[in-house]
């Protein structure tokens, strides 16, 4: 069982890490927001169909509907619109590292939303390390703060923040709807919002270049990264718990960097690795108690 979980964990990190490369490849053929919308047209139908097979997919009350609205707006539409636009002007590895800030931001937002859960000095240090890692990755020279090369990382950090706020609000709502159903409805609702946003910013379906490479990128994101990826995530969430599964965010950038280098010829910058390390240290500082408890459980079960 232990090896099964490890294999699924590495598989999920590889799938989600390489998704950044698929996004980068697809952006050459799709307008960015429309690309995200079409991805979730397909993924939403698949996940919602799966939910209908394994659970009751229908929302029952206002809390269920509120959770779906939060998921559609912040976790799907807000996150992916900012991510897809931002990745146009940065590499897959940098995008993956910046998105890996999301667990740190989630913890910080949770402390703000729940004042009784104050950050300790060590926790504040961890939060600072995470933001320092973003600065190291983005390298915002004062003369270039408004330049195009800094806009991409800023938008991606905004995507991570959107996901963090959405995650905290979803947890606070504590809806009874199953995770599969909530994800499916959120994807469908998010796709509708993304289509509306795409139209509002003047994107056109006529601008899509339906090349084989574009179709492969879209298929990979819809079928593998979204549908299969989320199913693996749900399975591991039940088996490992939220602390351990959060660590997938820190393994995914390694696969993003490797596949970006091999498939797209993207450079591997030393600053990206240094920033990644700072973000990991920040996460460990903030979640030290949960990580310690998870390690204690692991060794008790092993021995």
């Amino acid at each position: 069982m232990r090896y099964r979980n490890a294999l699924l964990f590495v598989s999920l990190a590889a799938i989600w890490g390489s998704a950044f490369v698929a996004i980068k490849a697809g952006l050459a053929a799709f307008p960015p927001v429309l690309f995200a919308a079409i991805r979730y047209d397909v993924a939403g139908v698949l996940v919602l169909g799966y939910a209908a097979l394994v659970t009751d997919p229908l929302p029952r009350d206002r809390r269920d509907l509120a959770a779906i609205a939060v998921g559609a707006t912040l976790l799907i539409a807000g996150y992916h619109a900012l991510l897809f636009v931002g990745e146009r002007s940065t590499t897959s590895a940098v995008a993956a590292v910046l998105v890996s800030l999301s667990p740190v931001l989630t913890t910080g937002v949770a402390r703000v939303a729940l004042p009784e859960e104050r950050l300790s000095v060590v926790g504040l240090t961890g939060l600072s390390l995470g933001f320092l890692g973003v600065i190291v990755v983005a390298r915002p020279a004062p003369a270039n703060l408004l330049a195009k090369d800094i806009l991409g990382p800023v938008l991606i950090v905004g995507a991570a923040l959107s996901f963090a706020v959405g995650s905290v609000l979803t947890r606070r709502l504590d809806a009874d709807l199953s995770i599969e159903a909530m994800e499916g409805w959120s994807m469908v609702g998010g796709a509708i919002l993304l289509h509306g946003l795409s139209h509002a910013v003047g994107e056109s379906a006529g601008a899509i270049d339906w090349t084989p490479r574009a179709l492969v990128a879209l298929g990979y994101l819809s079928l593998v990264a979204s549908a299969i990826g989320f199913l693996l995530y749900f399975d591991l969430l039940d088996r490992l718990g939220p602390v351990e599964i959060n660590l997938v965010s820190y393994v995914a950038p390694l696969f993003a960097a490797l596949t970006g280098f091999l498939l797209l010829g993207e450079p591997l910058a030393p600053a990206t690795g240094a920033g990644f390390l700072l973000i990991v240290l920040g996460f460990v500082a903030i979640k030290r108690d949960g990580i310690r408890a998870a390690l204690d459980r692991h060794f008790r079960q092993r021995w």
Side-chain angles (χ1 to χ4, degrees):
M1 181 64 68
R2 186 168 65 250
Y3 298 111
R4 174 190 180 279
N5 290 343
L7 178 61
L8 292 181
F9 182 93
V10 173
S11 299
L12 180 60
I15 287 172
W16 280 0
S18 55
F20 290 95
V21 180
I23 293 171
K24 188 72 174 181
L27 286 172
F30 290 88
V33 182
L34 184 58
F35 186 21
I38 296 174
R39 169 187 179 177
Y40 281 102
D41 286 337
V42 179
V45 171
L46 291 174
V47 174
L48 196 56
Y50 173 77
L53 293 175
V54 300
T55 186
D56 180 4
L58 297 178
R60 297 297 182 183
D61 53 31
R62 292 182 179 179
R63 183 172 293 183
D64 287 349
L65 293 175
I68 291 170
V70 168
T73 303
L74 295 175
L75 300 180
I76 301 298
Y79 171 73
H80 289 90
L82 292 169
L83 174 63
F84 277 47
V85 175
E87 198 171 338
R88 296 180 75 181
S89 54
T90 190
T91 67
S92 306
V94 168
V97 168
L98 294 176
V99 166
S100 72
L101 182 64
S102 183
V104 179
L105 290 174
T106 300
T107 304
V109 171
R111 295 304 191 269
V112 174
L114 303 170
E116 67 275 11
E117 297 185 21
R118 298 180 183 275
L119 279 175
S120 65
V121 173
V122 177
L124 289 172
T125 301
L127 196 61
S128 300
L129 283 172
F131 282 110
L132 180 60
V134 172
I135 292 172
V136 170
V137 172
R139 290 168 292 171
N144 296 327
L145 286 178
L146 298 179
K148 183 179 179 181
D149 59 349
I150 193 63
L151 180 60
V154 168
L155 290 175
I156 294 170
V157 171
L161 181 59
S162 178
F163 196 90
V165 173
S167 297
V168 171
L169 290 178
T170 300
R171 287 206 300 267
R172 288 198 65 178
L173 287 167
D174 193 25
D176 293 329
L177 193 64
S178 70
I179 294 176
E180 296 89 345
M182 192 185 74
E183 286 291 342
W185 286 116
S186 295
M187 288 178 178
V188 171
I192 294 172
L193 292 174
L194 285 165
H195 276 292
L197 180 59
S198 174
H199 178 75
V201 298
E203 292 182 348
S204 170
I208 299 175
D209 184 11
W210 292 103
T211 63
R213 177 173 173 172
L215 290 172
V216 169
L218 178 61
Y220 185 84
L221 289 171
S222 301
L223 303 176
V224 181
S226 295
I228 296 176
F230 273 110
L231 293 180
L232 290 179
Y233 175 82
F234 297 146
D235 181 66
L236 288 171
L237 181 63
D238 289 336
R239 296 174 183 276
L240 302 180
V243 173
E244 291 183 62
I245 193 59
N246 256 336
L247 297 177
V248 78
S249 297
Y250 301 107
V251 182
L254 304 179
F255 289 97
L258 180 61
T259 53
F261 174 74
L262 294 175
L263 300 180
L264 302 180
E266 295 180 338
L268 299 175
T272 300
F276 169 70
L277 179 60
L278 286 170
I279 292 172
V280 171
L281 290 175
F283 175 78
V284 171
I286 291 174
K287 304 295 288 185
R288 62 194 182 282
D289 293 335
I291 293 172
R292 187 184 301 115
L295 289 175
D296 288 343
R297 287 195 303 271
H298 171 76
F299 284 112
R300 281 200 301 269
Q301 291 172 358
R302 183 173 182 179
W303 301 109

